[in-house]
Structure formats: structure tokens, C-alpha cells
Amino acid sequence: MIQRTGPMNLFSDIRTLVVSEIEAMMAAGDLPAGLDLAAVAVEPPRDASHGDMATNAAMVLAKPAGLPPRAIAEKLAARLGADSRIAAVDIAGPGFLNMALVPSVWAGLLVAALKSGDDFGRATLGQGIKVNVEFVSANPTGPMHVGHVRGAVFGDALARLLAFAGYNVTREYYINDGGAQVDVLARSVYNRYLEAHDLTVDWPEGSYPGDYLIEVGEDLKAKVGDIWLDEPESVWLEEVRNFATDKMMEQIRGDLALLGVQMDVYSSEKALYGTGQIEAAINTLREMGLIYEGTLEPPKGKLPDDWEAREQTLFRSTAHGDDVDRPVKKSDGGWTYFAPDIAYHYNKVQRGFDQLIDIFGADHGGYVKRMKAAVSALSGGRVPLDIKLIQLVKLWKNGEPFKMSKRAGTFVTLRDVVEQVGPDVTRFVMLTRKNDAALDFDFDKVMEQSKDNPVFYVQYANARINSVLRKAREMGVAVDDATLAAADVAQLTHPAEIAMAKKIAEWPRLVEIAARGNEPHRVAFYLYELASDLNGLWSKAKEDTSLRFIQDDPATTQAKIALARATGVVISAGLAILGVTPVEEMR
RNA sequence: GGGCCCAUAGCUCAACUGGAUAGAGCAGCCGACUUCUAAUCGGCAGGUUGAGGGUUCGAUUCCUUCUGGGCCCGCCA
């Protein structure tokens, strides 16, 4: 439980006030009883001249209450004005209530930030809610490439964000080790094993001839010697498959670790086979009347060459919002990929998660509706599944698009990127775009330590803050958080200082908004704005030296530095959500 | 043919989930370094939010039609 040391989310505090005053108006007969207040919002106004906070209450209540918005606004304004935190209330535009807060509110907020430290902004939104975030889930057939990086960073940042918002988060990786592609992997590794014994081999179409398996073949030789050299596939396939997927997963874990991504649970597709779990999940659907033998309509438009009508085992996903029913069995009697995935999601539901989040590449967009249908059916509608699709990353190098090709040797692995660019820059840049918009990753720009590169901009602001703290300490001024929290921050009255405090005040609200929408990119954008405010304040202080953080008088210095340090607290909390290490110094 | 996603300043993108006069960065122009760190800051200019229609006090946001781009479309995963 987080100890509340003062105001955390000022916006929700004021919204609580607005709601309680509306309820009082209903009780007093000024408004009809039983109004739905869900649409009542308290937000920062776009234009600072409109005050500190605005509410749309009068407008959204006007119609259901059958009263003109102004009449509601006037009575509500009078009530709000009586609160000690509110200095003035204006009615503006079509019925907005604009509120100005008393200066001591901002002072109190800074104190709260300093006392809470890295916990400042931690929310209770997800209190008691177990959420599972499944991400990456790359096939264990090779090293991770750049295309995987964005999904990995997004999923990890989302998990950190949700944890910060109070959710009980599990990060999970679904290993696709049950399909034909791991048999292909095994045969490719067997080839490398033969080569390790100086034998010549053929590489059939569709195998994995990548160099990364050479070492695996040698490891296999070191482990089993020559016992499988003249044996048929039936003898070695399963063991080689297990050996190879273990090696690949080892490599993938290492790749993820380079990026600073740590999974809580690795679930195996293969492990679902033979346990009855797939059968149980399908039977559960069958008992609901959602599994049947039938024939699908051919897809409209051009048909696949080999299309022929065929009766198959289908999941009635249309009963839960899908466009067509989906096959769960192949013609050879084996399960489709969908079937174990149904079982896997059923397993997540049974483990007691209240919410599921899947992070897929955009090329899996066609899979979304059927997966949601399955979870909806198997959880009886209890567990929402949100699927975030991660759009393409376009690589740029030397000012032109950089095409990845295994054959041309321009295949870019995750390791290549992280070793060249570093995990911090990689992560930040990958989070500067909404997940559903394509992202340009320009090697030249991200390597450049310029303002084109937002991560350096944010880091620079943080370095400046630390520089001030360092200097103050050298001067013998105490600037530990406890001392700063007790400083006389009420003397920070300059508009630029107040503006800085207001920006800090938005942090807890931003965390909730970002968490509610599963949108970690909002944190990156907010940090950029916060850094911009700090840099602006810094420059103003060149002309107006009274704005400098370090002053002659220690008490004044402490008050000023309290503001700087509170900004630094938010920057490091925000960077922690993005998984980026704050730098103390840039020279 | 159908489904999903995208379209906002010359370029790259935001816009607090329906709020007030749509904001940043880059590029362009003008200006600020005897500095608490210029990897920075201030200013100017830049818009029919792809197009049309609808819903309402109010639309970049929701619905609909169209245009253009991406992804996907029964026994691959």
C-alpha cells in the first residue's frame, strides 16, 4: 500500500470535489436526482489563460437535467468557489467551468513529489487486478531481428507502466515450439551436425541455412558425438528438436536481456500437446455448442488455386463477433495453430487473470477477432482481451531505406541494433510512436547525439538538474529530499516556476491515462514536454537571475532546487517506465 | 470481393479517448553563449485535420460513403 503523503493526482482530487458538489446539488433539489456523472471530466485546459483546471460538468449534465448549462454552471461555481483549494471559478464558452487554484496547492504538490520520490505518480487504478501481458513470442527458430525489437520494447514498457499504475502484472512469452517449423529447425541443425563431422549436406528449400546454427551443430556434436550420423530421422528428430529449441530460447533470452527485458513466464505450445489441455479447451467450447463439423464458404474474390469445399471442425467464432467461423483441425486430423492457442488463452483465464493483453505484429491482424472470440467464449465474457498490433519498423541508413535480406547479408539482428545504438536509445526511440503507426528507425539519427534525438533531450534536462544538485552540495547546501521537502516552496511564485509545478502535477494523471489505454508512448511524449519546460526555465534564468536554482541565500536555494529535484523525480520515474537509465551527467 | 489498421503544417509526428483559438520537432528566416551544462532557449512563418455526408451545445476523435497506402483472408505459425 502506498503511503499518501499529500496530493498525488490533483485532477482526480478536484474531480472528486466536483462530483460531490453535484451530488449535494441533487440532494438540495438544484438538480434532478440520479444523474449519471460518468462523463464529468476535470482536465487541464488547453489554454493556460483559462485557469488551472476545467470541468465540462454543466454541459454534459444540461440535457439529462433539462436545464440550461449556464444555470447549472452558476450554482456549481458558487459551491466550488467555497473550497479552500480553489481561488476563482469562471464560467466560459458554452459552459465550461474554469478553476484557478490557490498557489499553496502547487507547493503542496512539490512536497508530495519529493516525499514520494520514485513512487510519485504511482496509481491505484489497477489495484487488485491481475493482468497478463503476452509479448514477443517469436518462433524459436533463429535469433531475434529488428522487427521483434519494437514489440519487445513496447510490451516491456507497457508491463512497467501497468505495474506503476497498480496492476499485478505477469509478463509472458508463448514459445511456438509445436508446429512444423521446429521440425525444419531440427533438420537444419542436424545438417550442421553432419557438417561438424566434415560431411557434405544438401539444403532443401525452406530450411534454415543461417550461420547461427553452425555453432548449434557443433554443440550437438560435442554432446552426442557421432551416434546419429547414420541414423534415420525417426531416431533423432525429437531429441534434436528439443536440443535446438532449447538453444534458440537460450539465445532469445540473452537477446531480451540485452534490451533489459525480463519475462516472468515462458509458456510452451508443445507442452500443451499430450496433456489433454487442447482437447479440454475445445470440449469446453463444444459443450457451449460452439464447435461443429461444417463447410466454410469460399472467400470472396479470387480463390486460392487449390481451393475445394471441405467439411472440417470449426469454432463458431461468429457467435462472439468474428466474421467467419474458424477451423481448429487440419485435414490430416492434427490441430491448427489456433487450437493450442485457444488452449493457451484458456489456461491464462484459468490462472485467474482479470485482463489479458496480447502484443502481435501487424501481420497477425487477421487473427485478432478469432482470439477475442475464443477468450470471450471461454471466460464467459469475464476476461477482456486487448490485442495491440505493432506496426512495421522501417530501417534507414545513409538517408535511404535499408532492406533486410538474409541472402544479401543485410539481416539486422536485435543484437546488432542494441550493440550499435545501445539499449536506452533503442528503447526510447521505439516508444516515440503509437503502436499502430509505422515507425522509421534511422541509424544515423539515433546514433547522433542531437536534438533530433528526443532521448538525449530528456537526458540533458536530467543532467542539468543533477548538475545543480551537485553544485549546491559543493557549496555546502543540504539538498537531500527530506530537506528539500521541508523547504519554503511557497516562495516559488514566478509564472515560469508555477508552470513547471503544474507540469509536474500532470504526471499522476498522465500515468492513469496511459495505463487505461495501454499506451506507453504517452510517457515518452510527456517526458519530452517536461524536459522542454525545464530547459525553457533554465534559459529564462540567464536573463532573470532570480530564476536560477542556486541563489546566495541557502533557504532560497533549497526552495528553488526543490522544484528542480521534483522535476528530476518525475523524469527518472518516467524513464523507469520506459526502461531507460537516467544519466547523471553529460559532458 | 471481404476484414483490420493508417491518412493532421513542406517533412516526421502529438492532440489527455467528444471540448474552448489543432500543438511539438526538423527544414526555412531573425535573434540569444564572460552559462547554476548552448546536446539549450526566444521569436517569425507554416493548416479546408485525404474528400463528401451524418450524429450534437461542440467532431482530428463517433457513424456512413468514397479516395489513397499497409497488413491479412480454409488444412503456415
Side-chain angles (χ1 to χ4, degrees):
Chain A
M1 187 64 197
I2 307 306
Q3 196 65 40
R4 283 182 58 123
T5 50
M8 284 286 264
N9 190 337
L10 277 176
F11 294 89
S12 57
D13 290 349
I14 297 298
R15 183 178 185 275
T16 302
L17 170 70
V18 170
V19 165
S20 73
E21 292 303 336
I22 292 169
E23 281 166 350
M25 285 171 68
M26 291 194 285
D30 290 336
L31 283 172
L35 291 174
D36 179 10
L37 304 185
V40 172
V42 172
E43 311 174 312
R46 205 191 296 262
D47 188 334
S49 69
H50 291 145
D52 300 319
M53 290 191 188
T55 179
N56 59 357
M59 286 178 294
V60 299
L61 296 179
K63 183 170 256 187
L67 291 167
R70 258 201 123 73
I72 300 172
E74 279 165 15
K75 287 191 173 169
L76 183 55
R79 288 172 170 275
L80 294 172
D83 189 90
S84 64
R85 288 164 292 183
I86 295 180
V89 187
D90 276 341
I91 303 169
F96 282 102
L97 282 176
N98 291 327
M99 294 168 272
L101 304 190
V102 299
S104 63
V105 168
W106 310 115
L109 180 97
L110 292 179
V111 172
L114 291 165
K115 285 188 174 169
S116 311
D118 285 347
D119 286 330
F120 178 62
R122 210 173 260 284
T124 54
L125 184 68
Q127 199 93 62
I129 300 174
K130 280 181 68 179
V131 58
N132 182 289
V133 183
E134 181 204 327
F135 62 113
V136 187
S137 299
N139 290 343
T141 55
M144 293 179 64
H145 58 78
V146 266
H148 295 120
V149 175
R150 190 175 179 192
V153 169
F154 178 88
D156 186 60
L158 175 58
R160 291 171 193 249
L161 170 64
L162 292 176
F164 197 70
Y167 289 86
N168 180 341
V169 182
T170 299
R171 298 146 202 248
E172 193 148 331
Y173 185 120
Y174 180 58
I175 308 170
N176 294 137
D177 54 2
Q181 83 281 0
V182 286
D183 288 341
V184 175
L185 172 74
R187 292 185 192 107
S188 300
V189 166
Y190 183 76
N191 263 1
R192 293 301 189 186
Y193 163 77
L194 296 179
E195 284 183 336
H197 284 91
D198 298 319
L199 296 167
T200 321
V201 298
D202 288 332
W203 291 98
E205 195 66 27
S207 54
Y208 301 125
D211 290 348
Y212 61 91
L213 292 181
I214 293 174
E215 191 186 335
V216 181
E218 284 167 356
D219 289 349
L220 184 60
K221 176 187 172 187
K223 185 183 174 198
V224 304
D226 58 6
I227 63 166
W228 286 332
L229 284 184
D230 296 313
E231 297 292 346
E233 187 174 295
S234 57
V235 172
W236 49 259
L237 184 67
E238 189 179 341
E239 287 190 66
V240 174
R241 192 172 55 206
N242 291 341
F243 181 82
T245 51
D246 284 352
K247 285 284 182 191
M248 290 301 106
M249 284 312 298
E250 204 174 289
Q251 188 168 351
I252 286 171
R253 285 171 205 248
D255 286 350
L256 289 173
L258 280 180
L259 257 187
V261 175
Q262 181 97 39
M263 295 287 174
D264 299 309
V265 176
Y266 284 85
S267 284
S268 157
E269 177 193 355
K270 192 184 64 185
L272 292 166
Y273 288 94
T275 60
Q277 288 189 70
I278 300 174
E279 291 74 7
I282 299 300
N283 279 335
T284 303
L285 291 175
R286 195 185 304 276
E287 284 159 18
M288 296 172 175
L290 296 174
I291 298 290
Y292 68 102
E293 303 298 319
T295 308
L296 285 177
E297 291 286 311
K300 299 270 186 344
K302 58 172 169 35
L303 287 180
D305 295 342
D306 58 345
W307 201 90
E308 56 179 281
R310 177 172 289 138
E311 191 174 83
Q312 50 195 165
T313 305
L314 299 169
F315 165 46
R316 197 182 303 281
S317 53
T318 49
H320 288 266
D322 201 356
D323 306 306
V324 289
D325 294 337
R326 306 291 178 173
V328 294
K329 272 193 174 176
K330 300 190 282 194
S331 61
D332 68 2
W335 298 112
T336 60
Y337 172 74
F338 187 35
D341 216 358
I342 290 172
Y344 172 51
H345 281 76
Y346 191 32
N347 171 273
K348 288 197 267 192
V349 169
Q350 288 173 321
R351 279 189 279 152
F353 290 105
D354 303 298
Q355 292 180 25
L356 302 181
I357 300 173
D358 286 352
I359 291 156
F360 291 166
D363 56 343
H364 285 59
Y367 204 67
V368 169
K369 284 188 180 178
R370 76 188 72 173
M371 207 65 252
K372 285 189 176 180
V375 171
S376 168
L378 288 168
S379 73
R382 181 184 74 83
V383 180
L385 167 65
D386 188 15
I387 298 180
K388 304 298 266 190
L389 296 179
I390 305 297
Q391 268 295 346
L392 201 68
V393 176
K394 289 185 213 155
L395 290 181
W396 292 76
K397 208 164 190 173
N398 304 320
E400 41 187 70
F402 187 77
K403 284 279 176 206
M404 277 213 305
S405 158
K406 281 187 187 176
R407 211 169 300 146
T410 56
F411 183 78
V412 183
T413 64
L414 175 148
R415 185 171 289 267
D416 292 337
V417 174
V418 176
E419 284 178 353
Q420 272 188 58
V421 179
D424 287 337
V425 175
T426 303
R427 292 185 65 117
F428 199 102
V429 171
M430 291 284 177
L431 291 166
T432 52
R433 217 97 313 166
K434 289 182 292 200
N435 59 285
D436 49 11
L439 179 142
D440 288 331
F441 193 86
D442 186 326
F443 276 97
D444 307 310
K445 277 190 184 168
V446 300
M447 301 288 282
E448 208 174 288
Q449 305 197 350
S450 75
K451 52 195 155 189
D452 246 12
N453 198 343
V455 60
F456 284 98
Y457 186 81
V458 173
Q459 296 280 32
Y460 183 59
N462 193 50
R464 280 178 152 176
I465 291 165
N466 280 295
S467 166
V468 161
L469 286 166
R470 205 161 42 234
K471 189 143 273 179
R473 270 185 229 110
E474 285 167 9
M475 292 168 59
V477 178
V479 289
D480 59 284
D481 286 351
T483 303
L484 293 178
D488 177 26
V489 288
Q491 60 179 288
L492 302 174
T493 53
H494 191 284
E497 293 170 331
I498 299 290
M500 190 79 238
K502 287 179 185 175
K503 194 71 193 174
I504 293 169
E506 287 179 30
W507 170 240
R509 180 169 180 271
L510 183 112
V511 169
E512 291 192 4
I513 289 166
R516 220 188 302 274
N518 295 329
E519 294 170 329
H521 76 276
R522 289 183 188 276
V523 174
F525 282 97
Y526 170 83
L527 288 181
Y528 187 88
E529 291 166 15
L530 184 71
S532 176
D533 284 359
L534 190 277
N535 284 330
L537 178 59
W538 189 284
S539 292
K540 272 199 185 67
K542 269 181 207 156
E543 295 201 357
D544 182 352
T545 55
S546 74
L547 281 175
R548 295 196 175 192
F549 295 112
I550 293 179
Q551 300 286 334
D552 294 335
D553 166 39
T556 306
T557 299
Q558 284 166 334
K560 302 275 190 192
I561 288 186
L563 179 63
R565 171 60 189 153
T567 307
V569 160
V570 175
I571 290 177
S572 56
L575 287 178
I577 288 171
L578 304 182
V580 174
T581 315
V583 298
E584 304 262 306
E585 193 172 5
M586 295 172 89
R587 286 287 179 186

